[in-house]
Amino acid sequence: MTTPKLAFSVQEYETRIAKTRKSMEAAGIQTLVITDPANMAWLTGYDGWSFYVHQAVVLGPTGLPLWWGRAMDGLGAKRTVFMSHDHIFGYEDIYVQNPEKHPMQDLAQLVAAQGWQNTHIGLEMDNYYFTAAAYLSLVQALPGATWADANGLVNWQRAVKSETEITYMRRAAKIVEKMHATILETATPGMKKNDLVANIYHAAISGADGHWGDYPSIVPLAPSGADASAPHLTWDDAELKVGEATFFEIAGVHRRYHAPQSRTLFFGEPPKKYREAENAVLEAVAAGMAKAKPGNFAEDIAIAFNSTLNKLGFEKDSRCGYPIGLSYPPDWGERTYSLRKNDKTVLEAGMTFHFMPALWLDDGAIEITEPVLITETGAENLCNTPAQLAVKG
Amino acid sequence: MTTPKLAFSVQEYETRIAKTRKSMEAAGIQTLVITDPANMAWLTGYDGWSFYVHQAVVLGPTGLPLWWGRAMDGLGAKRTVFMSHDHIFGYEDIYVQNPEKHPMQDLAQLVAAQGWQNTHIGLEMDNYYFTAAAYLSLVQALPGATWADANGLVNWQRAVKSETEITYMRRAAKIVEKMHATILETATPGMKKNDLVANIYHAAISGADGHWGDYPSIVPLAPSGADASAPHLTWDDAELKVGEATFFEIAGVHRRYHAPQSRTLFFGEPPKKYREAENAVLEAVAAGMAKAKPGNFAEDIAIAFNSTLNKLGFEKDSRCGYPIGLSYPPDWGERTYSLRKNDKTVLEAGMTFHFMPALWLDDGAIEITEPVLITETGAENLCNTPAQLAVKG
C-alpha cells in the first residue's frame, strides 16, 4: 500500500470530521455528499485536477469519509487521502461525459450499499460542479431519501484556521510578496503584458523562502488603462504604456492555501485623481483594520471602511472582502461571510480574509489589497509589501 | 462607446448564432440559457475570469444574444462582446454568494422583460457553473415556461472549426512545442518539480512565433514515478530522479484556443517495459490516425487503436481522445463525442481532437499524445514534436 503524502496529521483530519458531523447533527443531516473540491480536500486530503468529472466525498452517519470518483482518479485518491483504500470507490469510464449514463447513478448505488439510502442527505446545492443534472439524477436514484441544502456547511467549518493552515498561508504570503517584487523589478514601458505575466507565473510557481508554489485558483488578473475599469479581464500582448495604470490581482499559493494580494503599477507621474484614490483607500483600510478583531462583526470592517471612503469622496458598491484559505478553481474565496453591511458574522482569532478595497474609477482602477489574519487581539497583515501605488519611470 | 477587441469578425459570430438557432429549432427550443463559459465566449466574444459567479448568455427566439452577469462584469462584457451595450445586463452585488437571494431570480426577470417567460427554454443541465440551486431558482421564478435539457447543444456547433479558429489552434500548437522543448532543455536530475513547472509556465505564457500565450484550462499535469500511475496529480517540490519517468500533459493556448500535447521524460536508460509501451503506443496511434478521416466514425479511430494495442500486449480501458478548441477551466475538452467504441459521430474536415493514448502502467505511465485536425482527405498532427519517449542523461 502506498503511503500518501499528507499535508496535515491524521488527527487534524479527524478533528475536521468531528466538527463537520456536529454541524450535520445540528441541521438534522445524516449523510453529507460533498462536491466542492476544497471541501473534499479539507476533509480527506484529496488533491488532483479531476473536478472536471463528477466526484464526491460522502460522510455518512458513522465511520470515515468515502472518496468517490472516476476509477482512474481513484489512483490519485490512494496517493493523497488519509483513509485506507477500502474507503475509495471508482466508477467506470463509460459514465464519463456520456448523455446516456450519469455518474450520480453510480453514487446512489454506493450510498445504498452503505445502508444510507433512506437517510436525510445534505447536498451542496449551489456548488460549482454539483450540476442540475447531477442533482436530478441523484434524487431520482434514491427515492427513499429526504434532502437538505447543505451548501456552505463544510465551508463554514473551514473559517477558523489551524496552526498548520496558518503556516501554509504565511508561506503563500511570502510567495505573493515575491511576485509583486518581480513585477516592480521587471515591468518596463513597451513590455508586452504576457511577457510580464510569464515572469509573474515563474515567480509564483518557483516559490519563496524554500517553499514551493502551487497553482492559483484564479489566474493573474492584470488589466491596464481603461480595461482596468473591468475587474476580471486577464491579459493579451498589449504593451505597457507610460501614463497608464495596471492592477495586478494575484495570489501566492502553497499546498492549495492562498494569500491573495493586489497592487497597482503606474508608469510616470500618476494623475491627481489616482493619488487621491490611493490616499482614500489607505485611510479607509486603516479604519477597517481597526475594527478587525475578535468579537466584532464582519460588517463592522465594511462600515468603517465605507464611511471613511465616502468621507473622502469615493464610493464602492461591492463587498470589500471575503474569507480565504484552501481552494480550487474557479474561486479563491471560501464563500461564507462577506465584508459588507448586514453581515453579522462574528470575527474569531484564526479567521483569514482578503481585504479587497478595489476602487473602480471611470477610466481604470486602484487595487491595494491584503491577506489578513484575525489574531487574539486584532488583525495582522500577512504581507509586508509596501502599501502604496507602485510608481516607476 | 468602447470598441471591443474581437477575436473574430462580427459575421463569424452571426454565423455561429444562425447555426445554433437552427439546432434550437430542431429541438423545439425557443429560448436558450447558456452558462458554459466557452459557449458564452463562442457566441458573443465574452472573455473574463468571472465564471465563479452566476452568469449567462441568453439567446431568445429573435435578435442578438443578451449577456447577463454580475454588474461589475458587465464592464468586461462591454469590452469583449460584439453586441451593443443595450444587450448587456448586470445584477446587483447583493446577489453575490448570498444564501438569501439567488442571481437566477434576476435572470428570470430579464427573460420575462423580453416576453420569453412562457417559451420552451433550453438549459445546459450538466454544465459546471449551472448548479442545482441555479436550476431550482430559475424554474421556480418562471412558472409559465417549459424546460428542455440543452446540454451540449452549443458545444456540438463548435465541433467543426473555422479558418480563424484553426489559425489560433496552429499558434497554440507552436506554443506547446516550445513548452516541450523547454522541458527537454532545462530538466535535470535533482531539479525540483515546481522549478521545472515554473519554466513550463514561462514558456507557455510568453508564447511562440510572436503569438502570446493564454492560460490553460487545465494546469500542467506532471507526475513522476509511481505518482504517474494516477492521471491527474499536479506537482510539488519533489526532485526529478534518474531511473524515473515523468509525464507532462500540457497545452499551448492562444486566445483561449488549446493545443494539448503530452510527452514522457526518462532520465537514464528506460526499462524494457517502457520501450515496449512506447512502441505499442506509436504503432496503435498510427493505426488510429489511418482511420482519422472524413466519413469515418469517431469509434473507428478507437477500434483501430485498441485492437493494435491489444495485439501488442497492452490495454487501455478509457477513451483515447476527445474534441478540443475554445475552452475555460476546469476542462480543455469540448464534451461532445469521445474516441471510444460505440461513438458513431461522423468525422468531418475541420474537426479537432486530442488523440490521447495515455497508457497506465503498474508503476507509472507513458503519454505521447497529439492535437489532431481532420482535413479534407485525412488527418494532420498540428505539432512536430518528435513522437517518442524523451530520454535524457
Side-chain angles (χ1 to χ4, degrees), chain A residues 73 79 126 128 131 227 232, chain B residues 52 73 79 126 131 227 232:
Chain A
D73 293 318
R79 306 191 75 77
D126 208 20
Y128 323 108
T131 65
D227 274 347
H232 297 120
Chain B
Y52 71 95
D73 292 319
R79 305 190 75 79
D126 208 20
T131 65
D227 274 348
H232 297 120

Side-chain angles (χ1 to χ4, degrees), chain A residues 35 54-55 68 102-109 130 134 137-138 141:
Chain A
T35 45
H54 291 285
Q55 57 179 20
W68 168 84
H102 201 284
M104 284 290 156
Q105 297 162 357
D106 186 87
L107 179 63
Q109 287 173 19
F130 190 61
S137 174
L138 189 62

Side-chain angles (χ1 to χ4, degrees), chain A residues 35 68 87 120 135 295 317 359 361 390:
Chain A
T35 45
W68 168 84
H87 293 79
H120 194 50
Y135 169 72
D317 295 333
L359 213 54
L361 308 174

Side-chain angles (χ1 to χ4, degrees), chain A residues 49 52 54 72-73 79 96 125-126 128 130-133 194 199 202 205 213 217 227 229 231-232 235 330 340, chain B residues 49 52 54 72-73 75 79 96 125-126 128 130-133 194 199 202 205 212-213 217 227 231-232 235 330 340:
Chain A
W49 190 287
Y52 70 94
H54 291 285
M72 64 162 72
D73 293 318
R79 306 191 75 77
V96 174
M125 292 295 284
D126 208 20
Y128 323 108
F130 190 61
T131 65
N194 64 300
N199 293 348
H202 194 276
I205 307 300
S217 293
D227 274 347
S229 66
H232 297 120
W235 65 83
R340 65 182 160 202
Chain B
W49 189 288
Y52 71 95
H54 292 284
M72 66 163 68
D73 292 319
L75 296 164
R79 305 190 75 79
V96 174
M125 292 294 286
D126 208 20
Y128 326 107
F130 190 61
T131 65
N194 64 300
N199 293 348
H202 193 275
I205 307 301
W212 61 281
S217 293
D227 274 348
H232 297 120
W235 66 84
R340 65 181 160 203

Side-chain angles (χ1 to χ4, degrees), chain A residues 5 47-54 70 72-73 75-76 79-80 93-94 96-98 102 125-136 192 194-195 197-199 201-202 205-207 210 212-215 217-219 221 226-227 229-238 317-319 329-331 335-336 338 340 360, chain B residues 5 47-54 70 72-73 75-76 79-80 93-94 96-98 102 125-136 192 194-195 197-199 201-202 205-207 210 212-215 217-219 221 226-227 229-238 317-319 329-331 335-336 338 340 360:
Chain A
K5 293 180 269 187
D47 184 30
W49 190 287
S50 58
F51 38 88
Y52 70 94
V53 293
H54 291 285
R70 187 181 185 182
M72 64 162 72
D73 293 318
L75 297 164
R79 306 191 75 77
T80 56
D93 216 64
I94 192 67
V96 174
Q97 297 170 7
N98 182 344
H102 201 284
M125 292 295 284
D126 208 20
N127 175 47
Y128 323 108
Y129 313 123
F130 190 61
T131 65
Y135 169 72
L136 293 179
K192 291 183 175 189
N194 64 300
D195 285 327
V197 174
N199 293 348
Y201 260 115
H202 194 276
I205 307 300
S206 49
W212 60 282
D214 207 341
Y215 61 88
S217 293
I218 301 179
V219 297
L221 303 173
D227 274 347
S229 66
H232 297 120
L233 299 184
T234 49
W235 65 83
D236 59 15
D237 60 352
D317 295 333
S318 48
R319 61 181 183 170
D331 188 12
R335 298 183 296 285
T336 48
S338 290
R340 65 182 160 202
W360 313 113
Chain B
K5 291 182 270 185
D47 184 30
W49 189 288
S50 56
F51 36 89
Y52 71 95
V53 292
H54 292 284
R70 188 182 185 181
M72 66 163 68
D73 292 319
L75 296 164
R79 305 190 75 79
T80 55
D93 216 62
I94 192 67
V96 174
Q97 298 170 6
N98 182 345
H102 201 285
M125 292 294 286
D126 208 20
N127 176 48
Y128 326 107
Y129 312 123
F130 190 61
T131 65
Y135 169 72
L136 294 179
K192 291 185 175 188
N194 64 300
D195 285 327
V197 175
N199 293 348
Y201 260 115
H202 193 275
I205 307 301
S206 49
W212 61 281
D214 207 342
Y215 61 88
S217 293
I218 302 178
V219 297
L221 302 173
D227 274 348
S229 66
H232 297 120
L233 299 184
T234 50
W235 66 84
D236 59 15
D237 60 352
D317 294 333
S318 47
R319 62 183 181 167
D331 187 14
R335 298 183 296 284
T336 49
S338 290
R340 65 181 160 203
W360 313 112

Side-chain angles (χ1 to χ4, degrees), chain B residues 5 13 45 59 76 78 83 147 163 168 188 237 268 297 304 317 328 335 339 356 366 372:
Chain B
K5 291 182 270 185
Y13 290 111
L59 190 60
K78 287 180 184 173
M83 304 88 72
W147 305 95
E163 279 308 309
Y168 291 164
T188 52
D237 60 352
F297 295 136
D317 294 333
Y328 285 83
R335 298 183 296 284
L339 302 190
M356 215 296 174
I366 292 262
V372 172

Side-chain angles (χ1 to χ4, degrees), chain A residues 11 16 120 139 153 158 176 178 208 221 231 268 281-282 315 336 344 346 353 364-365 372:
Chain A
Q11 198 189 354
R16 294 170 178 184
H120 194 50
V139 166
L153 187 148
R158 291 162 41 202
V176 77
K178 179 184 150 193
L221 303 173
V281 165
L282 295 178
E315 283 204 28
T336 48
K344 307 283 187 197
V346 177
F353 60 83
V372 172

